[in-house]
Amino acid sequence: MSEFPWNAASATGVGSHPGDDHVETLRMVFGELPDLPYLPELPDRGVGADMVGRTASLLVELPVEVQPSGWRFTDRPGRDVRRARDHLNRDLDALEEVTQGYEGPFKIQVCGPWTLAGAIELRYGDKTLADPGAVRDLTDSLAEGLAAHLAAVRARIPGARVVVQVDEPGLPGVLAGTVPTASGFGRLAAVEAHTASERLRAVLPSDAFTIVHCCAPDVPFGVLRAAGFGGLSLDARFLRRRDEDRLGEAIEAGTAFFLGVVPGTDTKLADVDVIAKPATELWRRLGFDPSRLAEQVVLTPSCGLAGASPAYARAALARCRDAARVLRDDPGDAR
């Protein structure tokens, strides 16, 4: 029995999809990725369906609205946050309809606190990231909202073993001090590593397996491991040989890796053995037992699929699924 909530040779997606038909997209995800399906996000539906707005709708007692500059905290809930909640509620209704009787792993995604803090402005116009007290308030609110969302998902699909993915594409910039101010003329101060880990840890539910997705170069492995995530979701294109000592330490400690191996936008897809190669070669170089490869590594697209065509999105998921079976049945270079 695997120590992870999914079976060996699983594949999944990162989260976003093209189009606006949430029911059909959900059916497609369950059809193509039966071993680790997830709740897809459809930003083409408009305001509130984007990554930031969708997660902001979960915040407790911190209402938001859309301004010309983007999302901003406001005094009371308005049309924008209601629209975001409506999108999410419709998704959960469809989930209940499509998944009746399903038992197994199921992944949901939320935007992480640091990416949110770098995207949502305070009422007076600067970014939340500029105010450490506001970041604490946002983190506490997100933790409470995520717990409620997790309960709502489990109520709709009670046989699921829920995996929670926290999306933090903005974290490297937060740590490096490269996030622009609201005016765009300056940069916000860098956040210390221990503070970043502490706030991330505060968001994580204790009753679900958690992974963090960071599809950027210079992934802060130390910060993410200190936060307590059970898995890391990375873009294989950005892994460098200098990262491999830290990768090896994480693997040896039992961390799962969700490895992005298929482009997120339309292109000619490679054969499954070529797609599996970044995982098998990494495993071989690090010297780990090949029998663990298919359990500890889950294959995914490199990032979300919102910029792809619907046909490509389906094909990309199917190719990840087939390549994941190579990790189990024919690890090749991992031997």
Side-chain angles (χ1 to χ4, degrees):
M1 178 71 178
S2 172
E3 65 195 76
F4 304 111
W6 53 83
N7 294 323
S10 290
T12 192
V14 172
S16 67
H17 277 259
D20 57 9
D21 189 335
H22 61 288
V23 177
E24 177 55 31
T25 303
L26 189 60
R27 287 178 176 145
M28 184 267 288
V29 165
F30 270 82
E32 300 298 340
L33 299 171
D35 294 318
L36 185 48
Y38 56 97
L39 187 65
E41 303 163 358
L42 302 175
D44 285 349
R45 289 187 290 184
V47 172
D50 59 292
M51 179 179 71
V52 171
R54 188 175 177 89
T55 300
S57 74
L58 301 176
L59 297 176
V60 177
E61 296 183 357
L62 286 179
V64 293
E65 65 181 1
V66 175
Q67 295 289 326
S69 57
W71 288 96
R72 179 181 292 182
F73 289 117
T74 186
D75 293 327
R76 60 185 60 86
R79 177 183 60 186
D80 297 327
V81 74
R82 285 196 298 269
R83 188 177 300 168
R85 289 171 180 166
D86 285 346
H87 286 316
L88 189 53
N89 286 334
R90 282 195 291 271
D91 290 347
L92 294 180
D93 289 342
L95 179 65
E96 187 172 18
E97 173 189 335
V98 169
T99 64
Q100 289 189 8
Y102 175 77
E103 295 183 355
F106 181 73
K107 183 169 71 72
I108 61 174
Q109 306 83 221
V110 295
C111 187
W114 292 111
T115 298
L116 279 183
I120 302 177
E121 295 180 0
L122 299 167
R123 292 179 182 87
Y124 57 79
D126 209 343
K127 290 184 177 178
T128 303
L129 186 60
D131 184 337
V135 172
R136 283 193 298 272
D137 290 343
L138 182 152
T139 303
D140 293 344
S141 176
L142 177 58
E144 187 176 350
L146 175 55
H149 179 47
L150 189 54
V153 170
R154 285 173 169 152
R156 304 297 184 102
I157 181 171
R161 301 189 299 274
V162 182
V163 175
V164 176
Q165 173 182 307
V166 177
D167 292 320
E168 279 287 10
L171 181 59
V174 168
L175 294 167
T178 59
V179 177
T181 59
S183 68
F185 294 116
R187 296 290 181 269
L188 296 172
V191 171
E192 293 185 357
H194 72 88
T195 301
S197 294
E198 180 184 78
R199 294 291 88 202
L200 283 166
R201 191 182 312 116
V203 168
L204 303 188
S206 60
D207 59 345
F209 192 95
T210 57
I211 66 170
V212 59
H213 174 69
C214 186
C215 57
D218 300 319
V219 174
F221 292 100
V223 168
L224 300 178
R225 286 193 62 199
F229 289 97
L232 305 178
S233 176
L234 314 169
D235 186 338
R237 296 173 303 171
F238 295 143
L239 295 181
R240 302 291 181 261
R241 291 295 179 96
R242 65 176 182 267
D243 298 324
E244 291 188 359
D245 285 345
R246 290 173 295 176
L247 284 169
E249 291 170 0
I251 291 169
E252 192 168 17
T255 302
F257 276 90
F258 284 48
L259 197 59
V261 291
V262 169
T265 53
D266 291 38
T267 189
K268 183 179 179 181
L269 290 168
D271 293 337
V272 292
D273 56 342
V274 175
I275 289 172
K277 196 170 185 178
T280 58
E281 287 194 336
L282 175 66
W283 215 254
R284 174 185 56 78
R285 287 197 302 272
L286 294 175
F288 288 109
D289 182 350
S291 68
R292 291 280 297 166
L293 173 60
E295 291 186 7
Q296 204 160 345
V297 175
V298 174
L299 298 186
T300 75
S302 60
C303 201
L305 294 165
S309 67
Y312 177 83
R314 181 187 293 271
L317 296 185
R319 199 60 59 93
C320 287
R321 178 197 66 217
D322 294 342
R325 293 169 182 167
V326 172
L327 305 189
R328 177 191 61 201
D329 300 336
D330 186 19
D333 288 335
R335 290 175 177 171

